[in-house]
Amino acid sequence: YNHCTFQCGRILAEGEEYERPRRHYQAYVSRNREGSNIPLAVYWIGVSLWNTGETEGAMRYYRDAVALYGADPAGMGIDMILDEWVGRTRRAMPEASESAWQDLRELLDRSEAEGNQTLVLRLKRVLLFQPELKPSRKNRLVADLLKEENLEAASPAVLQAMLGYAQERELQDFAFKVSGHMVDRFPETDYALDARMVLARYAIERAREAGTRGDRDRHYGEAAKHLGVVREVRASSPEAAEALILLGGIHSEQRRFEEADEAYKSVLGVRAWRNYWPEALYGRGECAFQHRNYEVASAYYERIYVLYSHYADWTARAYLRRAECLKRMYQPDKAAEVIREMLE
């Protein structure tokens, strides 16, 4: 029911007859069947109002909707509404913009008085985007967000903001807790995919520090599980390329070089992932090197510094590794020549 409703609304909006999608979504809200996503419908009603030039009406409608539905952490449409609010205020006249922000500040005061913690967190996240926000005020708002007791009340967008600020401040343990909560509470959302990348990197670090092979394999398995989800859901995105690179590294650490090589090969098969190609080529070179196929490995390393010399780190590594391959193939003169070329 929900899927059909929103697909129909998108089709109606494509004709740029914005009154029709507005009536469509208003009827959906009025029916209010069990399981309906009312906040998302409200978001699209507001978009229709804006597209028909009813700016003030849209702002009032959004403000009232946020106050009415903002207590439900799972109502992701509310976060979409607030993000739309920010964008619209940036394009509004200064007086209208300030009035809109004042409405949010007043709503925050009322929500704090009522103990509506979910809405309080949502509003504090958005108020971080106020124009000319003083650093001291920003720091207070961020500090208010970065508290473990906020996790249960936080919406996905608030959790994402908490994760970003925790990483910015290098609060790694807190970032791990936020990520774990996001995946547990909202596993089917796009927000959870970023959290899965954090959890995967954390598990990889734990695996490298593990004292036993069993613990190491357990942590690597956990990382691979999260990376597999990212790879499947964001199949052609940069995040999928990053997941494959990390999977290649995990397989290499476990000496499963054929699987590692397949992961790196998959990265090289997508033109949009060119930024990851030097690392993927290096990974394939390492797999061939471990199989003592030094000629093949040498070719991969050479491709890096010939075709991608602007990637300085990978270029330096490739020069050194190719020289090692040439030494293993009993070609010390060529190896020395490669080193001299690197130093020039």
Side-chain angles (χ1 to χ4, degrees):
Y1 170 65
N2 285 342
H3 176 76
C4 291
T5 296
F6 290 106
Q7 284 295 103
C8 181
R10 289 190 181 94
I11 292 170
L12 291 171
E14 287 176 359
E16 296 187 1
E17 297 179 15
Y18 299 114
E19 187 59 34
R20 293 182 65 193
R22 181 170 76 167
R23 290 198 302 268
H24 169 75
Y25 286 120
Q26 283 176 331
Y28 171 84
V29 171
S30 297
R31 287 192 294 271
N32 194 17
R33 293 186 185 178
E34 184 178 354
S36 293
N37 192 340
I38 301 300
L40 186 57
V42 168
Y43 167 79
W44 287 112
I45 292 171
V47 170
S48 298
L49 287 168
W50 257 305
N51 287 332
T52 54
E54 298 183 43
T55 303
E56 292 185 8
M59 295 294 278
R60 287 195 301 272
Y61 187 73
Y62 271 178
R63 179 197 61 204
D64 294 343
V66 168
L68 182 61
Y69 302 110
D72 179 11
M76 288 181 286
I78 294 299
D79 296 308
M80 294 174 64
I81 287 170
L82 289 168
D83 289 340
E84 184 76 10
W85 178 291
V86 172
R88 296 289 179 170
T89 58
R90 287 174 176 170
R91 297 191 291 272
M93 298 295 290
E95 185 175 339
S97 176
E98 175 52 31
S99 175
W101 284 110
Q102 182 59 32
D103 284 345
L104 285 195
R105 290 191 288 268
E106 291 175 358
L107 180 57
L108 173 61
D109 291 340
R110 292 199 301 274
S111 301
E112 287 180 324
E114 295 166 1
N116 187 342
Q117 184 65 359
T118 295
L119 184 51
V120 166
L121 294 173
R122 279 179 156 139
L123 293 170
K124 286 184 176 180
R125 176 188 77 90
V126 172
L127 287 170
L128 283 162
F129 297 101
Q130 292 176 92
E132 300 180 6
L133 182 66
K134 293 181 179 180
S136 58
R137 174 59 173 158
K138 178 180 178 180
N139 289 335
R140 286 197 299 274
L141 287 170
V142 172
D144 287 345
L145 291 178
L146 297 182
K147 295 178 181 178
E148 191 170 346
E149 58 264 31
N150 291 334
L151 292 178
E152 286 299 325
S155 69
V158 171
L159 288 169
Q160 187 181 51
M162 292 168 69
L163 176 57
Y165 289 120
Q167 291 177 306
E168 184 181 292
R169 286 158 174 74
E170 299 183 354
L171 303 173
Q172 300 305 329
D173 288 344
F174 186 70
F176 175 76
K177 290 178 182 178
V178 173
S179 299
H181 181 79
M182 193 183 300
V183 170
D184 290 342
R185 183 79 185 276
F186 305 106
E188 303 300 323
T189 66
D190 283 346
Y191 296 103
L193 296 177
D194 293 332
R196 287 186 185 278
M197 291 297 291
V198 173
L199 293 174
R201 290 184 182 280
Y202 184 88
I204 290 171
E205 290 178 9
R206 297 284 291 173
R208 290 171 178 166
E209 297 169 356
T212 67
R213 181 174 180 177
D215 286 343
R216 185 196 65 181
D217 289 345
R218 177 170 56 82
H219 289 305
Y220 275 142
E222 184 180 345
K225 177 189 70 176
H226 291 303
L227 295 171
V229 173
V230 174
R231 178 188 176 187
E232 290 176 10
V233 175
R234 291 184 175 171
S236 60
S237 70
E239 290 83 1
E242 188 176 353
L244 282 165
I245 291 288
L246 290 173
L247 280 169
I250 289 172
H251 295 322
S252 294
E253 293 279 350
Q254 296 179 304
R255 303 195 66 79
R256 292 155 52 185
F257 297 114
E258 290 184 2
E259 293 176 63
D261 189 62
E262 280 299 315
Y264 295 128
K265 184 179 178 181
S266 296
V267 175
L268 294 170
V270 180
R271 191 171 183 81
W273 295 346
R274 290 177 65 90
N275 288 343
Y276 294 92
W277 283 3
E279 188 170 1
L281 284 169
Y282 190 88
R284 296 204 73 185
E286 289 294 282
C287 292
F289 189 96
Q290 294 299 328
H291 282 302
R292 299 185 180 182
N293 195 340
Y294 302 123
E295 186 173 358
V296 171
S298 176
Y300 283 128
Y301 299 135
E302 185 178 23
R303 282 175 63 186
I304 294 171
Y305 63 75
V306 169
L307 298 176
Y308 306 103
S309 59
H310 50 294
Y311 291 87
D313 183 50
W314 292 112
T315 294
R317 295 189 193 191
Y319 270 117
L320 292 172
R321 209 60 169 146
R322 183 167 184 245
E324 181 63 27
C325 288
L326 293 168
K327 285 174 62 180
R328 298 289 181 100
M329 291 190 290
Y330 304 102
Q331 300 178 41
D333 292 343
K334 285 190 176 181
E337 183 181 337
V338 167
I339 296 298
R340 281 196 298 272
E341 182 181 337
M342 178 184 72
L343 295 174
E344 289 178 354

